Amino acid sequence: MTIVKPSQLSSSSSSPLCSLKGSLLTLAVLTFLSLFYLSLNSLRTSPPSPILVGSNQLPHTFSAKEEEDYSDVYHSPESFRSNYAEMEKKFKVYIYPDGDPDTFFQTPRKVTGKYASEGYFFKNIRESRFRTLDPDEADLFFVPVSAHKMRGKGTTYENMTVIVQDYVDGLIAKYPFWNRTLGADHFFVTCHDVGVRAFEGTPLLIKNTIRVVCSPSYNVGFIPHKDVALPQVLQPFALPAGGNDVENRTTLGFWAGHRNSKIRVILARVWENDTELDISNNRINRATGHLVYQKRFYRTKFCICPGGSQVNSARITDSIHYGCVPVILSDYYDLPFNDILDWRKFAVVLRERDVYDLKQILKKIPQSEFVSLHNNLVKVQKHFQWNSPPVKFDAFHMIMYELWLRHHVIKY
């Protein structure tokens, strides 16, 4: 019988243990060296480009002037820049071909007057790169019913609701696209306030579809994260755009219009006879001179924009065009492009109850702040201008960008 000495037992049992420790130590050293090498290698390369929504492509390159313009008036300049470029590359909209253009469908009634925004959109979508004839590649579907055309033909509100309901029912029965999302990837466009009422006769349109409207009052059914505020633009403008002319603006504030809302009645009653605010109880009569109303915008610092029969007013885009800083006096108004543009950088946004302190509020704004507001206003003028064919960053492209955002955030 062989007797194993204690020393021999210790030696034989520790040998595998030492071997295991050595292997683990070697592995740790190799892992450390590998990570160290990768770290050094990453430092030699440029940082990765920002990832765009749904794409691995690089963002569009902007000029130095465009870079400067992005810095002041946008909530998130970098997000807007990159996502706008991606929208231009990818976004597709299918227009339902149904409906007689000679009645209430497909084409605009006209592209002038206070409902020009509706007409321009109907026209621009067909001129743009966003339109697709293949519904299978569409991101959104446009329901081309024109409330402005219905109104122009003298259609009653009751008949409007029937026309809209019948048209949508026809689309649902004929195509599979609505039923896939219950209309959540569909949208309609109307700038006429009667049109909003006409579409309200079809509950599915209100609940599910994206409503692009000129009267986006979020106390009567407008849903900001789903619907889109359409700027009411009175085109063609009578005079060229103003701007970079602060030395000519000597009048503190200006408003002239009909008293067709409570806030306008109060505005006229409180300030009509003031010597520093140019407040007129009615629209300026053309008999007083050629384009007198429009010329007032050129010499005024702040143009008062109270809501009328609806929360919106074409006076806001008039003010922007003529370089007069708009003063918003309209509660519950979801301002156009409010989730993109920082309105407080180029406008004065007040509550309606502030009307009693209007002059004091405006006089307290330092000249330097007014100049900043005015300069920023000039930067956003392009966003409130319609063109045919549409051009980059104009009102049409901003609406398409809003729709692009809705397409990405709305869950079906």
Side-chain angles (χ1 to χ4, degrees), residues 23-79:
S23 298
L24 291 174
L25 180 61
T26 302
L27 179 62
V29 171
L30 290 174
T31 302
F32 173 77
L33 291 174
S34 298
L35 292 174
F36 182 70
Y37 172 77
L38 290 173
S39 298
L40 287 177
N41 189 55
S42 67
L43 289 174
R44 296 190 189 102
T45 61
S46 59
S49 300
I51 298 175
L52 304 178
V53 176
S55 174
N56 293 322
Q57 297 177 342
L58 295 177
H60 177 75
T61 301
F62 286 77
S63 67
K65 180 64 169 60
E66 287 175 324
E67 289 282 1
E68 179 185 353
D69 288 348
Y70 276 111
S71 61
D72 296 327
V73 295
Y74 302 93
H75 291 300
S76 179
E78 182 58 32
S79 295

Side-chain angles (χ1 to χ4, degrees), residues 39 136 226 404:
S39 298
D136 291 326
K226 176 180 75 73
W404 169 250

Side-chain angles (χ1 to χ4, degrees), residues 29-319:
V29 171
L30 290 174
T31 302
F32 173 77
L33 291 174
S34 298
L35 292 174
F36 182 70
Y37 172 77
L38 290 173
S39 298
L40 287 177
N41 189 55
S42 67
L43 289 174
R44 296 190 189 102
T45 61
S46 59
S49 300
I51 298 175
L52 304 178
V53 176
S55 174
N56 293 322
Q57 297 177 342
L58 295 177
H60 177 75
T61 301
F62 286 77
S63 67
K65 180 64 169 60
E66 287 175 324
E67 289 282 1
E68 179 185 353
D69 288 348
Y70 276 111
S71 61
D72 296 327
V73 295
Y74 302 93
H75 291 300
S76 179
E78 182 58 32
S79 295
F80 175 65
R81 181 178 65 171
S82 59
N83 286 326
Y84 183 96
E86 181 65 9
M87 182 257 314
E88 285 191 309
K89 298 187 188 84
K90 300 284 187 177
F91 196 25
K92 295 297 179 184
V93 171
Y94 179 74
I95 306 173
Y96 282 109
D98 303 64
D100 184 358
D102 291 330
T103 56
F104 317 115
F105 310 98
Q106 301 298 335
T107 57
R109 178 186 173 195
K110 59 181 182 178
V111 291
T112 58
K114 61 181 180 178
Y115 304 118
S117 292
E118 178 182 318
Y120 265 106
F121 187 91
F122 272 72
K123 183 177 177 62
N124 284 171
I125 189 67
R126 297 176 182 280
E127 301 172 317
S128 73
R129 70 180 72 180
F130 301 112
R131 184 186 183 187
T132 177
L133 300 178
D134 181 2
D136 291 326
E137 70 173 15
D139 300 298
L140 292 180
F141 295 81
F142 178 37
V143 181
V145 182
S146 173
H148 193 201
K149 289 177 78 171
M150 286 191 279
R151 191 62 172 173
K153 293 180 181 291
T155 309
T156 64
Y157 164 66
E158 290 75 16
N159 286 338
M160 284 185 183
T161 60
V162 173
I163 292 168
V164 172
Q165 180 70 63
D166 289 346
Y167 184 75
V168 173
D169 287 346
L171 298 181
I172 294 173
K174 184 176 180 180
Y175 301 97
F177 313 116
W178 179 284
N179 291 327
R180 295 184 309 192
T181 65
L182 294 180
D185 56 355
H186 287 56
F187 71 94
F188 65 87
V189 177
T190 180
C191 194
H192 204 296
D193 49 357
V194 175
V196 175
R197 294 177 58 204
F199 282 95
E200 286 175 348
T202 307
L204 281 177
L205 286 177
I206 303 305
K207 179 181 178 182
N208 295 339
T209 61
I210 303 170
R211 299 192 295 165
V212 184
V213 297
C214 279
S215 50
S217 178
Y218 53 80
N219 70 329
V220 290
F222 182 84
I223 306 172
H225 71 272
K226 176 180 75 73
D227 301 327
V228 176
L230 179 68
Q232 186 177 11
V233 184
L234 187 62
Q235 284 191 221
F237 293 108
L239 295 170
N244 304 312
D245 52 4
V246 293
E247 66 280 355
N248 299 329
R249 299 181 179 274
T250 55
T251 302
L252 178 63
F254 166 61
W255 176 75
H258 299 301
R259 297 195 296 179
N260 58 349
S261 66
K262 181 179 178 181
I263 182 60
R264 292 188 177 192
V265 170
I266 297 172
L267 176 66
R269 186 179 72 237
V270 175
W271 300 109
E272 186 174 14
N273 298 315
D274 191 83
T275 57
E276 295 179 273
L277 294 177
D278 183 3
I279 305 297
S280 299
N281 192 17
N282 290 292
R283 290 294 293 261
I284 298 173
N285 195 314
R286 294 180 181 178
T288 60
H290 183 58
L291 300 176
V292 171
Y293 173 75
Q294 289 82 358
K295 291 175 181 177
R296 295 273 185 93
F297 286 88
Y298 282 140
R299 63 171 187 258
T300 305
K301 287 184 172 182
F302 301 101
C303 287
I304 319 304
C305 303
S309 57
Q310 301 290 330
V311 293
N312 57 296
S313 169
R315 187 172 284 99
I316 296 176
T317 50
D318 281 347
S319 302

